[in-house]
Amino acid sequence: MSILKSGKPIGIACDHAGYELKQYLLEVFKQKKIEVVDFGTNSTDSVDYSDYAHPLAEAVERGEVYPGIAICGSGNGINIALNKHQEIRAGLCWSVEIARLVRLHNDANVLVMPGRFISKEEGMFIVDTFLNTDFEGGRHQCRIDKIPVKKQ
């Protein structure tokens, strides 16, 4: 089963350190005829990851894309920026098993990867696992429900 939603493209964003992996993924998605919205960046020139994380997060929240994929050098910076959004559950994944668990237990809606620490091939295996793992629900749902910060 796949978490891809009919009629919804995947959203993807990166900073300069994630650019090469993003370009590789875009080519694979093109070959597989999977629609993608690219939020940038568009080169290896130094940029700020937040400038790309926030537009991706907002598009996921508005339901324009689903799921999201984000890449920066360590994965941490872009992950932190994404998770500032109330409806985003971004999970930093550096292995297939982490990608499986972040979907299975955390219902992550954005996959984050460390572009400087995984190969392009590893990245594709992680993406495939993320896209093909459903949320288990059950005991995990109440935990997910407690994640958003309650407004006072």
Side-chain angles (χ1 to χ4, degrees):
M1 186 143 210
S2 172
I3 67 167
L4 295 177
K5 294 185 177 180
S6 179
K8 300 266 183 189
I10 293 173
I12 194 166
C14 70
D15 72 356
H16 54 281
Y19 177 75
E20 288 182 19
L21 178 54
K22 182 192 78 161
Q23 293 306 111
Y24 174 78
L25 296 174
L26 287 173
E27 185 57 37
V28 172
F29 290 144
K30 182 179 177 181
Q31 291 170 7
K32 292 183 176 188
K33 297 182 178 11
I34 296 172
E35 187 180 355
V36 180
V37 175
D38 183 355
F39 290 89
T41 192
N42 297 311
S43 77
T44 56
D45 294 342
S46 184
V47 294
D48 299 332
Y49 49 77
S50 297
D51 293 339
Y52 304 93
H54 294 305
L56 171 62
E58 291 164 358
V60 171
E61 288 178 314
R62 287 189 303 263
E64 296 169 3
V65 299
Y66 187 89
I69 298 172
I71 311 158
C72 75
S74 70
N76 284 301
I78 205 162
N79 193 49
I80 292 167
L82 288 160
N83 278 310
K84 292 295 182 181
H85 294 260
Q86 289 296 298
E87 300 300 318
I88 298 302
R89 291 177 307 282
L92 175 55
C93 301
W94 58 91
S95 73
V96 166
E97 184 61 13
I98 297 298
R100 188 180 77 78
L101 290 171
V102 79
R103 283 289 309 133
L104 195 65
H105 293 175
N106 307 119
D107 197 20
N109 54 13
V110 180
L111 166 65
V112 179
M113 294 184 289
R116 289 187 174 143
F117 295 92
I118 60 173
S119 70
K120 293 174 184 172
E121 294 76 18
E122 287 172 315
M124 196 64 236
F125 286 131
I126 291 168
V127 168
D128 281 340
T129 300
F130 184 85
L131 295 178
N132 291 294
T133 303
D134 287 324
F135 176 50
E136 189 174 62
R139 70 185 193 276
H140 303 290
Q141 185 61 57
C142 67
R143 298 168 185 158
I144 301 304
D145 294 341
K146 293 178 181 180
I147 291 174
V149 176
K150 293 185 173 115
K151 295 181 182 182
Q152 297 177 338

